[in-house]
Amino acid sequence: NAGVTQTPKFQVLKTGQSMTLQCAQDMNHNSMYWYRQDPGMGLRLIYYSASEGTTDKGEVPNGYNVSRLNKREFSLRLESAAPSQTSVYFCASRTGKTRDTQYFGPGTRLTVL
Amino acid sequence: TQLLEQSPQFLSIQEGENLTVYCNSSSVFSSLQWYRQEPGEGPVLLVTVVTGGEVKKLKRLTFQFGDARKDSSLHITAAQTGDTGLYLCAGAENYGQNFVFGPGTRLSVLP
């Protein structure tokens, strides 16, 4: 099992460009998450999907959109990138049960110039 | 919105020393998790605690959940260089699926 995979690993964008971050999990998990991590601020939830076909906003959704393509895949789109979106983005998945483990991908380091 | 604070923000110690890091909030959590994150990687779950006063041990790591379920501590005995990393706590309110993360404690264990 690969666990949670993310592509790309690194990306540099210019202000106003768009891109999609891809995430896939092979653990048959129901719930998937997108976080961003900035220095000194821990991880902040952008969007989550409790099950296939559903998505909900997290703490910092502005400037992002998501798609739960199927049970395995959950993508994050930046329609018009801004320098404030420079961050490390993590995708995660979990079964959704109490005490279960949330598995994180390796992250995408995004720089917006 | 819950606010989780972690202290200290940075900690540098010698191999073999003991240490404790803290996670505090004014909110009550139904469950609290501790993660360790190494550079260039995603966080890895260490433990989940759900009962007030609960103590969990993982080899040299001891986790405690406060009686009021508002705070938690992580104690490491005889630290090793392999313990170096960013330690994050994350709390869930009302048995929700989503966890709020603290800013982390960055630990360096020197040989």
Side-chain angles (χ1 to χ4, degrees), chain A residues 9 31 33 35 37 40-43 45 48-50 59 90 94-96 98-107 109, chain B residues 1 9 33 35 37 40-45 48-51 54 56 86 88 96-104:
Chain A
K9 197 164 180 63
S31 302
Y33 304 80
Y35 294 91
Q37 185 174 34
M41 300 191 72
L43 286 96
L45 183 64
Y48 66 100
S49 171
E59 181 185 354
F90 288 98
R94 56 184 290 211
T95 60
T98 305
R99 284 194 194 264
D100 68 346
T101 299
Q102 186 168 194
Y103 293 90
F104 283 82
R109 187 173 295 275
Chain B
T1 303
Q9 189 177 357
Q33 297 184 329
Y35 293 80
Q37 183 180 19
E41 299 181 7
V44 176
L45 182 69
T48 301
V49 286
V50 299
T51 305
E54 183 174 358
K56 280 204 154 182
L86 178 67
L88 297 160
Q97 281 210 4
N98 300 335
F99 285 81
V100 174
F101 282 78

Side-chain angles (χ1 to χ4, degrees), chain B residues 3 37 95:
Chain B
L3 180 63
Q37 183 180 19
Y95 304 97

Side-chain angles (χ1 to χ4, degrees), chain B residues 3-38:
Chain B
L3 180 63
L4 269 170
E5 299 178 342
Q6 291 190 244
S7 60
Q9 189 177 357
F10 299 96
L11 185 59
S12 182
I13 61 171
Q14 294 293 134
E15 198 169 26
E17 292 183 352
N18 301 332
L19 66 113
T20 303
V21 298
Y22 301 92
C23 174
N24 296 288
S25 176
S26 57
S27 299
V28 175
F29 296 110
S30 53
S31 62
L32 190 140
Q33 297 184 329
W34 283 94
Y35 293 80
R36 180 169 66 217
Q37 183 180 19
E38 299 189 16

Side-chain angles (χ1 to χ4, degrees), chain A residues 21 25 30 40 51 59 61 68 76 104 107:
Chain A
L21 281 64
Q25 53 94 6
N30 292 317
S51 61
E59 181 185 354
R68 183 75 182 266
L76 178 71
F104 283 82

